[in-house]
Amino acid sequence: MISGAEIMVKCLEAEGVKVVFGYPGATICPFYDKIYDSTTIRHILVRQEQNAAHMASGYARCSASGIPGVCVATSGPGATNLITGIATAYTDSIPLVAITGQVRSDLLGRDVFQEADITGACEPFVKHSYIVKKTEDLPRVFKEAFHIASTGRKGPVLIDIPMDIQENEIEEFVYPESVNIIGYKPNTKGHAIQVKRAVEAIKKSRRPLIVSGGGVLLSGVKPKFQAFADKTGIPVISTMMGIGVMPSEHELYLGMLGTHGKTVANLGDRAVAAPHQMSENTTVIHIDIDPAEIGKNVKTEIPIVGDMKNVMNMLIESIGDYKVSNQWQETVKTWKKDFLRVPPVFEGFVEPRTLVAHLSAMLRSKAILVADVGQNQIWCANNFRIREGRFLTTGGMGTMGYSIPAAVGAKLARPNRDVVVVCGDGSFQMSMNELATIAGNKLAIKIIIMRNHRLGMVRELQDKNYNCRHSATILQGDPDFLKIAEAYGIDHAEANSNEEAEEIIKGMVNSDKPFILVCNVYPDTPSI
Amino acid sequence: MQYTLSILVENQAGVLSKISGLFSRRGFNIDSLAVGVTNDPGVSRITIVANGDEYVVEQLEKQLNKVIPVIKVKRLNEGEFISRELILIKVHCAASKRAEIIKTAEIMQAKIVDAAPSCVTVEYCETSARVKTLIDMLKPYGIREIVRTGTIAIDRGNAAVSV
Ligand SMILES: Cc1ncc(C[n+]2csc(CCOP(=O)(O)OP(=O)(O)O)c2C)c(N)n1
Ligand SMILES: [Mg+2]
């Protein structure tokens, strides 16, 4: 005989899960009792459940396996704490499996202690969810959940498991070899005729341009994508989630688009930028794994539904020896030069944009930079010179506090890479409780706090649109972050100039311990 | 523009709330919704009549297709399907008006299914348009209560929406 809880662990093992992030409580105790014995799965105890989901997200985004990140929480408050993390993964299309304990199935609906309708509450933020009513169903549900999370448009799947379902025993454990969900057959192939039309349109275009989102990274097609750009000479701009599809210094990469992009990506009618800036003569080819995205926000002439992995192959094959015109190539080169602007320095402060620009060279080539939300995020997005590494941030939900937990996940997935967090003084305080997780697990994560004593990005908005009335954006009563580091036993330093900061960073990257660097930033430094 | 969607779903807990939630979340308006099991006990059909422009309907179809237990979504073509709804109308009916009301029901091919000293109940199974006509005709007598189902619809001829 085998219990539901044992089955849950065996399912995770069968899926190849190596790390789960979680926080226990009464209704998930049967599972915790069994995972205690697992020899292949490491459990990371977080300090708040939201961060378990963010860690799972950082892990999934960086791990080579493509396996969804896994987070676990108890019923009621544990489960509701997960919601922001799940919603963040949903908007960022990150594969996640979230497991929650639930009150005994015969008590469901009676509002007993720590009962929360978590599948109901998460409905808008999950790709799918299950509430398991029979122990026998567990293997099928897990198999389906991992499949759904990691195929098609990736996203979070929630499995809610009442305590008695975890306790009940059944004869034996058999993990299904395949799934058959009649209503779920994502189209990944890419339509050959549409690809042909796309190639014809590219060949006809005077100024072809690629706008890449995060899908290129999620489908693991980055090398082929770069080969395509190189071969054709088509310049590339990216969304915030797409940063890293090309090395920043690549002559064809023109930066991030959007209201906070500073680059030629936003040159209006000189290039294609935001949808509202596109001219009448623009032909839009939209490649997406999710058919519902096509035509939703951008008028599209040539839709291609499919996985970039397949579509990229088809494009490379059918574009042949095509190369963009010399004139277009030259224009792109001049634009690229245009945008290397050095921001002014304020005496006695760190200039964050210049620091981030220099940071990359001080890290190893495959470094992972995790930016939080706010001005710090924009400084990173526009100035980090990514090479072969990754840039992680939440572009979909923009959840403050994402960076520290996401970095924990990234470091566990890629222990041999440099993992650096850049966050604001506001966002740091949204997840600084996870310093305990970093210290406790001896994770060599380097945290750079850009301290401006402001909720900088909102303050900037108030300057622009609200007559400089700084309602609730001045941070008062903040602790001494160096003492916080000290309390957790984490090495730390403070910088008041770029020279100081860079000197500290040089030492920090060579240590195999976590580090916190507090950079004092001039409060009126703009985002762009 | 009014349109009718025929949706086949896996018959499992929570499907209906997933679908109705999707409508409200994305600001789509539903005129009527009807659910019932099909010839396959594992599969239910949801018929939705809703309003919106072409963009809205297309988005709606795509979003519905993303719901995992949704097996198939079909927009029924105007004029190529038969639709019905069922209505029960309780009408005030003084003895002096009884014959008149019975006549009205007869003209419309509706059935009187219950009667009491001061009211009658009329049953009618027809298209929404005909149902509306009947309601309009009975209104002058004073309607006490209306109970009606959502519209159900089926393709004409050989076409069928099946798994
Ligand atoms: C959870 C959450 N709450 C509120 C916001 C709104 N918001 C966006 S940026 C920002 C300020 C961030 O301040 P800080 O972390 O200090 O970064 P800075 O902009 O100063 O670099 C706020 C409050 C958000 N994105 N997420
Ligand atoms: Mg700040």
Side-chain angles (χ1 to χ4, degrees):
Chain A
M1 298 298 275
I2 180 166
S3 73
E6 262 178 288
I7 290 174
M8 290 161 69
V9 174
K10 282 205 182 318
C11 290
L12 295 176
E13 288 172 349
E15 288 292 339
V17 173
K18 296 281 177 279
V19 186
V20 304
F21 305 90
Y23 208 88
T27 60
I28 193 72
C29 263
F31 168 78
Y32 268 91
D33 188 56
K34 295 302 170 196
I35 199 155
Y36 198 50
D37 294 330
S38 174
T39 51
T40 56
I41 300 177
R42 177 172 177 191
H43 179 269
I44 301 291
L45 175 64
V46 303
R47 292 300 183 273
Q48 208 265 27
E49 291 86 350
Q50 175 180 323
N51 298 322
H54 288 332
M55 286 180 199
S57 159
Y59 186 89
R61 291 173 79 170
C62 293
S63 91
S65 65
I67 299 170
V70 180
C71 54
V72 184
T74 192
S75 63
T80 53
N81 268 352
L82 272 183
I83 295 177
T84 301
I86 290 176
T88 303
Y90 184 70
T91 52
D92 291 341
S93 304
I94 309 300
L96 225 65
V97 173
I99 299 168
T100 49
Q102 182 54 282
V103 302
R104 316 190 78 85
S105 54
D106 57 339
L107 296 176
L108 276 172
R110 300 194 191 197
D111 300 326
V112 294
F113 180 65
Q114 294 194 335
E115 178 183 359
D117 173 12
I118 195 63
T119 50
C122 283
E123 186 52 55
F125 311 119
V126 290
K127 194 168 166 190
H128 194 45
S129 60
Y130 297 89
I131 169 154
V132 184
K133 297 282 180 61
K134 283 195 304 228
T135 304
E136 291 84 338
D137 289 343
L138 282 168
R140 176 185 56 81
V141 166
F142 271 74
K143 183 81 190 175
E144 289 184 1
F146 276 84
H147 176 71
I148 291 170
S150 59
T151 54
R153 179 178 183 167
K154 296 171 182 170
V157 177
L158 171 68
I159 312 177
D160 194 27
I161 311 174
M163 198 174 169
D164 54 322
I165 305 302
Q166 298 173 49
E167 288 166 349
N168 290 349
E169 297 192 335
I170 59 172
E171 281 300 320
E172 55 167 355
F173 167 73
V174 186
Y175 202 56
E177 302 220 318
S178 58
V179 291
N180 183 18
I181 309 162
I182 165 164
Y184 182 70
K185 305 263 164 14
N187 171 13
T188 57
K189 262 185 75 184
H191 199 287
I193 294 173
Q194 291 298 83
V195 171
K196 227 178 113 202
R197 282 183 62 209
V199 166
E200 276 161 21
I202 294 169
K203 285 182 176 168
K204 258 209 296 230
S205 162
R206 277 189 304 133
R207 297 175 303 179
L209 179 75
I210 299 170
V211 182
S212 169
V216 170
L217 301 168
L218 282 163
S219 71
V221 77
K222 185 166 83 170
K224 279 214 174 114
F225 174 84
Q226 292 180 0
F228 178 78
D230 279 332
K231 188 165 134 69
T232 57
I234 304 176
V236 178
I237 60 181
S238 72
T239 64
M240 190 182 275
M241 294 301 284
I243 291 175
V245 291
M246 300 282 277
S248 312
E249 310 269 70
H250 194 291
E251 60 173 18
L252 289 173
Y253 182 67
L254 297 176
M256 176 180 83
L257 87 174
T259 49
H260 284 102
K262 72 163 184 179
T263 70
V264 289
N266 282 332
L267 285 177
D269 64 357
R270 277 213 271 162
V272 178
H276 63 277
Q277 287 173 318
M278 280 191 296
S279 74
E280 282 290 297
N281 317 330
T282 310
T283 304
V284 175
I285 303 165
H286 185 163
I287 307 170
D288 210 304
I289 184 90
D290 180 359
E293 284 306 313
I294 289 177
K296 189 171 82 178
N297 298 323
V298 180
K299 194 169 157 287
T300 302
E301 279 73 29
I302 307 175
I304 304 178
V305 175
D307 190 321
M308 270 308 282
K309 254 201 304 259
N310 302 324
V311 177
M312 206 68 248
N313 282 338
M314 295 164 88
L315 280 171
I316 289 174
E317 195 165 302
S318 66
I319 201 134
D321 291 332
Y322 164 85
K323 186 98 191 166
V324 301
S325 70
N326 284 339
Q327 197 193 349
W328 183 226
Q329 267 175 309
E330 288 311 310
T331 315
V332 168
K333 269 188 204 148
T334 42
W335 287 354
K336 178 88 189 175
K337 272 194 224 117
D338 274 2
F339 99 96
L340 295 172
R341 173 168 59 90
V342 180
V345 177
F346 292 95
E347 213 47 56
F349 291 100
V350 170
E351 203 322 293
R353 294 163 289 181
T354 306
L355 183 68
V356 170
H358 290 183
L359 177 63
S360 170
M362 291 181 263
L363 305 174
R364 285 173 295 171
S365 170
K366 292 195 168 167
I368 298 165
L369 181 74
V370 193
D372 212 282
V373 172
Q375 293 191 299
N376 60 85
Q377 181 182 34
I378 308 305
W379 294 331
C380 290
N382 283 325
N383 299 291
F384 188 64
R385 311 271 162 85
I386 198 164
R387 289 180 284 165
E388 295 175 281
R390 289 293 302 271
F391 174 72
L392 303 186
T393 193
T394 160
M397 188 61 98
T399 312
M400 280 174 72
Y402 178 76
S403 61
I404 291 176
V408 169
K411 189 68 185 172
L412 284 160
R414 298 285 186 178
N416 297 323
R417 292 204 193 176
D418 294 332
V419 176
V420 179
V421 166
V422 171
C423 60
D425 39 6
S427 41
F428 175 72
Q429 292 180 79
M430 280 224 181
S431 53
M432 66 183 189
N433 46 358
E434 298 304 334
L435 293 178
T437 312
I438 291 175
N441 291 286
K442 300 193 169 51
L443 301 172
I445 294 168
K446 322 294 175 176
I447 300 172
I448 302 176
I449 306 171
M450 299 294 189
R451 181 164 63 181
N452 53 8
H453 303 282
R454 302 282 184 279
L455 300 176
M457 182 174 264
V458 184
R459 196 258 326 151
E460 205 175 19
L461 196 73
Q462 291 171 336
D463 285 351
K464 246 202 315 215
N465 299 340
Y466 299 91
N467 229 348
C468 296
R469 285 156 54 81
H470 296 158
S471 175
T473 47
I474 312 296
L475 293 168
Q476 274 158 353
D478 279 1
D480 180 339
F481 296 144
L482 299 170
K483 286 205 177 127
I484 296 276
E486 176 79 41
Y488 285 98
I490 294 176
D491 293 345
H492 51 274
E494 183 176 19
N496 291 305
S497 71
N498 286 48
E499 294 68 36
E500 242 174 35
E502 288 182 25
E503 215 32 59
I504 296 164
I505 291 171
K506 271 183 210 144
M508 153 182 121
V509 295
N510 287 324
S511 119
D512 56 1
K513 290 195 285 193
F515 197 95
I516 291 177
L517 166 59
V518 179
C519 292
N520 290 311
V521 170
Y522 183 65
D524 285 336
T525 310
S527 286
I528 296 180
Chain B
M1 178 178 82
Q2 195 177 54
Y3 53 91
T4 305
L5 296 176
S6 185
I7 307 162
L8 293 175
V9 300
E10 283 195 72
N11 200 353
Q12 49 180 247
V15 188
L16 194 58
S17 81
K18 280 189 192 5
I19 288 176
S20 57
L22 195 150
F23 271 82
S24 63
R25 210 156 53 235
R26 296 197 180 260
F28 303 137
N29 296 316
I30 303 185
D31 292 338
S32 88
L33 183 150
V35 198
V37 72
T38 62
N39 47 329
D40 176 347
V43 177
S44 288
R45 180 185 313 270
I46 302 179
T47 309
I48 291 178
V49 180
N51 251 299
D53 57 20
E54 184 58 35
Y55 169 84
V56 167
V57 193
E58 194 182 315
Q59 257 301 305
L60 188 54
E61 282 182 70
K62 285 172 166 177
Q63 295 296 345
L64 283 167
N65 270 313
K66 279 174 72 166
V67 177
I68 308 281
V70 167
I71 301 166
K72 198 175 231 176
V73 181
K74 188 181 173 200
R75 194 191 323 181
L76 301 179
N77 292 327
E78 211 41 61
E80 293 173 20
F81 63 91
I82 294 164
S83 70
R84 288 291 179 273
E85 62 179 84
L86 178 64
I87 186 170
L88 297 169
I89 315 174
K90 193 168 284 184
V91 194
H92 281 291
C93 181
S96 60
K97 296 284 184 201
R98 187 155 300 212
E100 231 177 84
I101 291 176
I102 292 173
K103 191 75 200 157
T104 307
E106 241 170 50
I107 295 168
M108 294 298 289
Q109 291 178 310
K111 257 200 299 191
I112 308 282
V113 289
D114 190 34
S118 64
C119 67
V120 293
T121 300
V122 183
E123 174 199 298
Y124 197 43
C125 177
E126 251 303 343
T127 62
S128 312
R130 299 260 305 167
V131 167
K132 183 173 179 303
T133 310
L134 179 67
I135 295 172
D136 288 345
M137 291 174 74
L138 293 177
K139 237 181 223 158
Y141 303 103
I143 291 174
R144 280 191 65 178
E145 190 176 9
I146 283 183
V147 180
R148 67 202 285 189
T149 64
T151 300
I152 53 169
I154 195 164
D155 276 315
R156 285 185 189 279
N158 275 329
V161 185
S162 55
V163 178

